[in-house]
């Protein structure tokens, strides 16, 4: 692993200081720096390890790649069969996005609960018109966090800090941290939905999560609940969600992900006042700290790689997330 000819390609928009952080983590290696948009096939074929999401059509041509470090938490296109060599170690950026995405979730929740977007619409019409209905409180609300990885746990902590009662849902039940009433297995999801004022989804894209919130499950939600989705759009039936909001069964929804992406023009979700949609941007680099977190994860794993030790944040190709069944550990910045 200490071979000075190890070639490390880094595909991120880094500052000079961030580049030096990575070089200093493993100074014996050769480095090239590029971005996802400017990466060349020659650079990708040169690399023994790639840190950052280069084009899939390039990376599938590198059959000697030993390590792929994604700058996403869920690098789904790279996990498809045939993209990476069978013995290539795959690590992700779990731990980098919890802050940015959980704050997006809080902002959207508050905007919906306090009718802020409806007042923005009135402002644009220069209309001094109160909305004749009560707003909602964060304090005392029941929040169901479906997915308790870095993002779900980060949101759960923030919701608890504001006075909400939080229940976590994960693949298997687990001891409850101080910020949760309990953490149950997904087999108890339907028991928890009727009490939840907010249902917050931060799920990976797997066969088990696809269509998890179909019309039948949305119908189990508490009447007037708010749904937040920052994981994968495939977890929610968009047509059923639009119908639930239109009928008043759900109060509203905030979506940073849809299925498909982008959401097609003319879809009814676009026109609903109580649905907020952003183009999968809650966890990108608009918050500078996110990129700093990613650089920290890359540098940490570079040191392990140089020492020949198991890398952290290793992904399961079948489960599509960092699992207890994979070597190393899950990193977190909180």
């Amino acid at each position: 692993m200490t071979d000075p000819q190890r070639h490390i390609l880094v595909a991120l928009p880094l500052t000079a200081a961030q580049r030096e952080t990575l070089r200093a983590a493993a100074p014996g290696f050769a480095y090239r720096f590029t971005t996802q948009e400017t990466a060349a096939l020659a650079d990708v074929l040169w690399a023994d390890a790639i840190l950052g999401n280069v084009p899939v059509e390039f990376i599938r041509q590198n059959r000697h790649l030993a390590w792929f470090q994604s700058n996403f938490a869920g690098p789904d296109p790279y996990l498809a069969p045939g993209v990476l060599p069978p013995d290539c170690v795959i690590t992700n950026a779990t731990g980098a996005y919890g802050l940015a995405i959980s704050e997006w979730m809080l902002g959207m929740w508050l905007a919906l609960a306090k009718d802020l977007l409806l007042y923005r619409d009135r402002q644009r019409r220069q209309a001094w018109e109160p909305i004749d209905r009560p707003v909602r409180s964060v304090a005392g609300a029941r929040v169901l966090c479906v997915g308790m990885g870095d993002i779900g746990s980060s949101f759960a902590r923030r919701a608890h800090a504001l006075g909400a009662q939080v229940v976590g849902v994960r693949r298997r039940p687990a001891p409850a941290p101080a910020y949760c009433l309990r953490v149950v297995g997904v087999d108890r999801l339907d028991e928890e939905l009727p009490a939840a004022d907010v249902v917050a989804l931060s799920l990976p894209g797997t066969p088990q999560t696809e269509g998890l919130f179909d019309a039948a499950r949305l119908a189990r939600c508490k009447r007037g609940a708010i749904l937040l989705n920052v994981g994968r759009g495939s977890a929610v039936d968009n047509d059923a969600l639009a119908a639930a909001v239109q009928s008043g069964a759900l109060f509203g929804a905030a979506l940073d992900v849809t299925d498909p992406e982008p959401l097609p023009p003319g879809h009814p979700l676009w026109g609903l006042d109580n649905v907020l949609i952003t183009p999968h941007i809650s966890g990108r680099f608009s918050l500078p700290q996110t990129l700093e977190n990613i650089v920290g994860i890359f540098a940490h794993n570079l040191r392990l790689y140089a020492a020949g030790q198991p890398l952290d944040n290793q992904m399961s190709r079948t489960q599509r997330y960092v699992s207890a069944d994979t070597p190393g550990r899950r990193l977190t910045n909180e």
Side-chain angles (χ1 to χ4, degrees):
M1 288 290 187
T2 56
D3 180 357
Q5 297 308 307
R6 281 278 173 177
H7 297 163
I8 311 297
L9 179 66
V10 183
L12 279 177
L14 302 183
T15 65
Q18 289 168 336
R19 294 183 181 194
E20 282 308 307
T21 295
L22 296 182
R23 287 193 184 99
F29 295 153
Y31 291 86
R32 289 185 186 177
F33 293 91
T34 184
T35 65
Q36 183 175 14
E37 294 74 21
T38 60
L41 176 59
D43 294 326
V44 174
L45 296 178
W46 168 85
D48 298 306
I50 295 176
L51 284 62
N53 291 13
V54 297
V56 171
E57 63 269 23
F58 289 175
I59 204 170
R60 70 165 61 246
Q61 299 180 56
N62 183 333
R63 305 320 298 168
H64 67 89
L65 192 68
W67 169 32
F68 170 60
Q69 166 71 68
S70 174
N71 56 267
F72 289 167
D76 294 353
Y78 301 89
L79 300 176
V83 174
L84 296 171
D87 57 351
C88 179
V89 175
I90 306 171
T91 55
N92 74 355
T94 289
Y97 294 101
L99 174 63
I101 297 180
S102 64
E103 288 185 347
W104 179 99
M105 296 166 82
L106 280 179
M108 291 296 191
W109 178 16
L110 286 165
L112 287 168
K114 304 301 181 183
D115 284 333
L116 300 184
L117 272 296
L118 299 185
Y119 282 113
R120 179 57 181 260
D121 293 342
R122 283 160 171 73
Q123 176 186 332
R124 287 173 173 161
R125 293 190 284 107
Q126 301 183 37
W128 189 275
E129 298 174 2
I131 296 168
D132 187 20
R133 67 180 181 191
V135 296
R136 295 148 177 250
S137 179
V138 170
R142 174 66 63 84
V143 175
L144 189 64
C145 290
V146 186
M148 286 292 288
D150 173 51
I151 294 165
S153 296
S154 295
F155 178 64
R157 282 191 288 270
R158 285 164 173 78
H160 171 76
L162 292 176
Q165 298 177 333
V166 181
V167 174
V169 179
R170 42 173 290 167
R171 204 159 48 104
R172 291 187 288 266
Y179 49 86
C180 287
L181 295 175
R182 56 187 169 274
V183 177
V184 302
V186 71
D187 59 319
R188 292 183 54 191
L189 173 61
D190 289 343
E191 297 176 30
E192 299 290 346
L193 283 171
D197 300 294
V198 176
V199 180
L201 310 182
S202 57
L203 295 165
T206 70
Q208 292 73 35
T209 63
E210 184 172 356
L212 186 65
F213 278 78
D214 57 10
R217 184 149 282 118
L218 290 169
R220 293 181 180 273
C221 292
K222 181 178 181 179
R223 185 168 184 83
I226 290 171
L227 185 137
L228 312 174
N229 189 14
V230 296
R232 285 293 178 266
S234 58
V236 179
D237 181 329
N238 284 336
D239 294 339
L241 176 61
V245 175
Q246 285 174 316
S247 71
L250 292 181
F251 179 78
L255 311 173
D256 190 47
V257 290
T258 62
D259 184 26
E261 288 185 5
L263 188 67
H267 194 281
L269 285 171
W270 284 118
L272 297 177
D273 287 341
N274 270 21
V275 173
L276 308 179
I277 301 170
T278 56
H280 207 149
I281 49 75
S282 66
R284 295 190 186 272
F285 304 145
S286 55
L287 181 68
Q289 184 60 44
T290 301
L291 186 55
E292 280 293 322
N293 292 345
I294 292 170
V295 170
I297 290 168
F298 282 13
H300 170 82
N301 264 344
L302 269 171
R303 287 188 284 269
L304 295 176
Y305 184 65
Q309 297 176 4
L311 305 182
D312 289 332
N313 277 9
Q314 288 196 41
M315 295 198 70
S316 163
R317 296 196 190 208
T318 55
Q319 295 174 349
R320 293 178 172 257
Y321 54 87
V322 178
S323 164
D325 302 327
T326 54
R329 59 194 175 94
R330 191 182 83 183
L331 300 176
T332 180
N333 280 285
E334 296 194 56

